[in-house]
Amino acid sequence: KSKVKGASSKRILTDLVSLVRFATHQDNELVPFPERVNTNFKVWLAQQEKRKKFTDEQRHWLEMIRDHVAANLGVDRDDFEYAPFAQKGGLGRVHQLFPEGLQTIIETLNMALVA
């Protein structure tokens, strides 16, 4: 029990990733996948904001992407056509917010958050 964090009766598929990492000794503590993603997001965001500050709206979208990755193990361009992204303007809006390269952000977040 001392090596398991966030134990609950509700299990989600993404926690299998954490279980496999723990079982293969890649991690020495069993942490729920969404918690790992959130921790990795904070580190990634701090690194990014050393070079460029995000607007409140950009941060909100980045947080939605983080939550999507935590629930689905990743994000791709097609995901922006579905909730919650579609209600906020979908793929068109996210392109406007990140004109320097949406694909780069998607790839970077997928790698950084799941690591």
Side-chain angles (χ1 to χ4, degrees):
K1 282 187 169 185
S2 67
K3 297 215 176 218
V4 179
K5 293 181 73 182
S8 75
S9 60
K10 181 181 177 187
R11 300 283 180 230
I12 56 176
L13 182 59
T14 55
D15 278 341
L16 285 175
V17 171
S18 294
L19 184 58
V20 168
R21 290 176 65 105
F22 180 72
T24 59
H25 305 288
Q26 292 178 21
D27 296 330
N28 61 0
E29 187 176 51
L30 185 55
V31 178
F33 186 73
E35 187 176 318
R36 176 175 308 286
V37 168
N38 192 45
T39 299
N40 290 347
F41 177 75
K42 288 176 184 177
V43 170
W44 177 85
L45 189 61
Q47 290 171 343
Q48 297 302 306
E49 290 198 322
K50 287 179 184 176
R51 295 181 297 233
K52 175 193 182 268
K53 295 292 182 194
F54 293 107
T55 66
D56 288 342
E57 188 176 10
Q58 285 174 321
R59 284 181 65 102
H60 178 69
W61 274 81
L62 291 170
E63 290 164 358
M64 288 192 306
I65 293 169
R66 173 203 62 202
D67 295 345
H68 187 83
V69 170
N72 299 286
L73 300 174
V75 67
D76 63 39
R77 295 172 61 87
D78 294 339
D79 293 325
F80 293 105
E81 298 303 324
Y82 303 101
F85 307 111
Q87 288 89 347
K88 303 283 186 180
L91 188 58
R93 184 63 186 144
V94 76
H95 269 295
Q96 290 174 344
L97 289 170
F98 299 99
E100 68 279 356
L102 175 62
Q103 191 59 39
T104 301
I105 287 179
I106 289 172
E107 290 171 6
T108 302
L109 280 172
N110 279 329
M111 292 293 291
L113 301 185
V114 177

